[in-house]
Amino acid sequence: MNSEGDRELLAKEYLEKHRIMELLNQLTSFLLFDRPKKPREYLISLLERLRIAKVTGIAYPFFMENSNIVSMFEMMDSHGRGCISFVQYKEALKNLGLCTADEVLNDDGHLITLEKFRDEVNRRTQEIWSSF
């Protein structure tokens, strides 16, 4: 393998090891959700909150409040049945950056309620932030 190929492989391994792409995806989601007037300052503040949470064990920053999760769920539950399909659920997690396209989720055949959706969004967000 040539040195350029070696460098590319080492770079890829580094990004995967430190989950850099996942972190950047989460930061981008925060930016697009909040659309701050000063994005650089906002990102610095967000990274500082992440550092403090990691050091002190306090809650990690969430970009979706309960009302946002409910709104997203209600948009998918257009008939007001109180549940969404597994396909809608997985697509929502992908759109939020909480699930990769190739991630295998177990479909137990049950429809997804708001409570399950909210719990999963919060659990996955906490899991992602705590891993950085």
Side-chain angles (χ1 to χ4, degrees):
M1 184 181 282
N2 63 27
S3 62
E4 185 175 320
D6 290 341
R7 283 194 306 266
E8 287 178 22
L9 181 60
L10 289 172
K12 183 179 182 218
E13 288 172 354
Y14 178 84
L15 292 173
E16 288 173 358
K17 176 182 177 185
H18 296 284
R19 300 182 67 195
I20 300 299
M21 297 313 294
E22 290 167 296
L23 175 61
L24 292 175
N25 285 336
Q26 286 297 307
L27 293 173
T28 301
S29 293
F30 272 88
L31 276 174
L32 294 175
F33 187 79
D34 283 340
R35 298 183 189 265
K37 293 197 184 307
K38 297 180 177 181
R40 286 185 185 93
E41 289 176 19
Y42 176 84
L43 286 172
I44 290 167
S45 170
L46 191 58
L47 288 168
E48 181 63 17
R49 286 172 49 203
L50 181 59
R51 186 189 69 75
I52 291 169
K54 190 91 166 169
V55 170
T56 64
I58 63 170
Y60 289 89
F62 289 97
F63 72 95
M64 289 193 76
E65 296 174 355
N66 184 58
S67 62
N68 303 122
I69 295 171
V70 170
S71 294
M72 178 176 241
F73 184 87
E74 288 174 348
M75 285 189 305
M76 292 183 292
D77 180 21
S78 57
H79 297 294
R81 297 179 316 179
C83 56
I84 58 175
S85 72
F86 184 80
V87 171
Q88 290 172 305
Y89 165 71
K90 184 172 181 181
E91 195 61 32
L93 292 178
K94 283 192 315 190
N95 289 336
L96 293 170
L98 300 175
C99 170
T100 61
D102 60 346
E103 182 176 349
V104 176
L105 298 177
N106 295 324
D107 182 357
D108 61 7
H110 293 94
L111 294 173
I112 310 300
T113 63
L114 171 59
E115 182 179 358
K116 182 175 181 178
F117 181 67
R118 178 182 22 240
D119 290 349
E120 190 65 9
V121 167
N122 288 332
R123 184 190 69 75
R124 285 175 172 264
T125 302
Q126 184 74 22
E127 194 175 89
I128 287 172
W129 284 117
S130 65
S131 69
F132 294 125

